[in-house]
Amino acid sequence: MLTPIERPAERAPGNIISDFGALYASNGFIGWLFSVTAPVAIILTVGSSGGLSEAEIASWIFGVFFINGLITITFCLIYREPLAFFWTIPGTVLVGQSLTHLSFAEVVGAYYATGILMLVLGLTGWVKRAMALVPLEIVTGMVAGVFLRFGLDLVRAIFNDTAISAPMVVVWLLLGALPKLGRRLPPIIGALLAGVVAVIAFGRFDTSVPMQIELIRPVLQTPAWSVAAMVELVVPLAITVLVV
């Protein structure tokens, strides 16, 4: 039986301008800075290793930020709740492994099928049932396996490029070990800043290529319906979304 769509609650007194402040701006900036660093690096890595063109990778990043940003703003205004719409990072890593033997069109088709499945689960109220059917231990093990390569790459990076990676690891550990300091500067942001400083200090910043700002021209990808892609991706992608 389909459940009715939840109606927005009555609007509380106040407005966006009066409710805005420096604390919320700083929290929003930190959230944005995190979103455009590590997650984008994963998309770039997955797209490059999967043989995608620059236009396809740029369109991927455009979709996950611009479209999800519009949806987030819309639902936050309607429901007056912090409802953030994003993508699943474990799912992106999972797709990267599939791009080695599946086409990008087949992966897009699997995403469509996963979206339909999630829509059905949401409308029918079967989300809790679906989560109960999958033991948490299996899900966490699956997510850990997806991220294993990235964790091992961190260890390899310390030996392959110590000058850049070592300061980042030290700063991350320091901020994580000191809660008071970590609340002022999140460890992931501190590690990012340490990496930038190290890159500049050791002359690793490439200034030969001029920076250019261009408006993205989204590339619309026609999905391909592949049984192999559906079997390999739909259920794991749905599980990662449900757990997140």
Side-chain angles (χ1 to χ4, degrees):
M1 181 178 179
L2 298 180
T3 57
I5 297 177
E6 182 179 348
R7 295 180 179 273
E10 294 184 6
R11 290 185 177 272
N15 55 64
I16 296 177
I17 297 178
S18 62
D19 292 339
F20 194 74
L23 177 62
Y24 311 113
S26 61
N27 287 338
F29 175 77
I30 290 174
W32 169 83
L33 190 59
F34 171 79
S35 301
V36 299
T37 51
V40 170
I42 291 177
I43 294 178
L44 293 175
T45 302
V46 167
S48 300
S49 61
L52 302 185
S53 65
E54 290 186 2
E56 290 173 330
I57 296 175
S59 298
W60 190 348
I61 296 175
F62 166 81
V64 298
F65 279 101
F66 184 80
I67 297 177
N68 282 323
L70 287 180
I71 297 174
T72 295
I73 293 173
T74 301
F75 275 82
C76 287
L77 290 174
I78 293 176
Y79 286 94
R80 289 297 185 93
E81 295 182 13
L83 302 173
F85 289 78
F86 222 56
W87 76 95
T88 160
I89 297 178
T92 304
V93 179
L94 188 68
V95 166
Q97 298 172 350
S98 300
L99 282 174
T100 58
H101 54 276
L102 294 175
S103 68
F104 190 45
E106 291 176 317
V107 170
V108 172
Y111 261 83
Y112 274 100
T114 306
I116 294 173
L117 175 60
M118 297 305 302
L119 179 63
V120 171
L121 291 177
L123 289 175
T124 57
W126 290 346
V127 174
K128 290 185 178 180
R129 294 183 183 180
M131 293 180 65
L133 291 175
V134 183
L136 184 60
E137 293 78 7
I138 293 180
V139 176
T140 53
M142 182 184 73
V143 174
V146 169
F147 279 109
L148 178 62
R149 179 172 62 86
F150 285 86
L152 294 177
D153 286 344
L154 171 62
V155 179
R156 297 189 185 100
I158 296 177
F159 295 97
N160 296 335
D161 202 342
T162 307
I164 304 299
S165 57
M168 299 176 66
V169 173
V170 171
V171 171
W172 188 85
L173 293 175
L174 182 63
L175 293 175
L178 301 175
K180 291 184 179 181
L181 196 59
R183 282 193 293 267
R184 294 180 178 273
L185 181 64
I188 187 67
I189 304 301
L192 172 65
L193 295 176
V196 171
V197 172
V199 168
I200 296 176
F202 288 98
R204 304 281 290 278
F205 189 76
D206 188 5
T207 58
S208 60
V209 180
M211 295 185 63
Q212 296 180 344
I213 299 178
E214 298 181 11
L215 292 178
I216 182 64
R217 295 181 177 87
V219 177
L220 298 180
Q221 180 68 54
T222 303
W225 310 107
S226 165
V227 176
M230 301 297 171
V231 172
E232 180 176 340
L233 290 175
V234 172
V235 174
L237 284 174
I239 290 176
T240 60
V241 173
L242 286 174
V243 172
V244 172

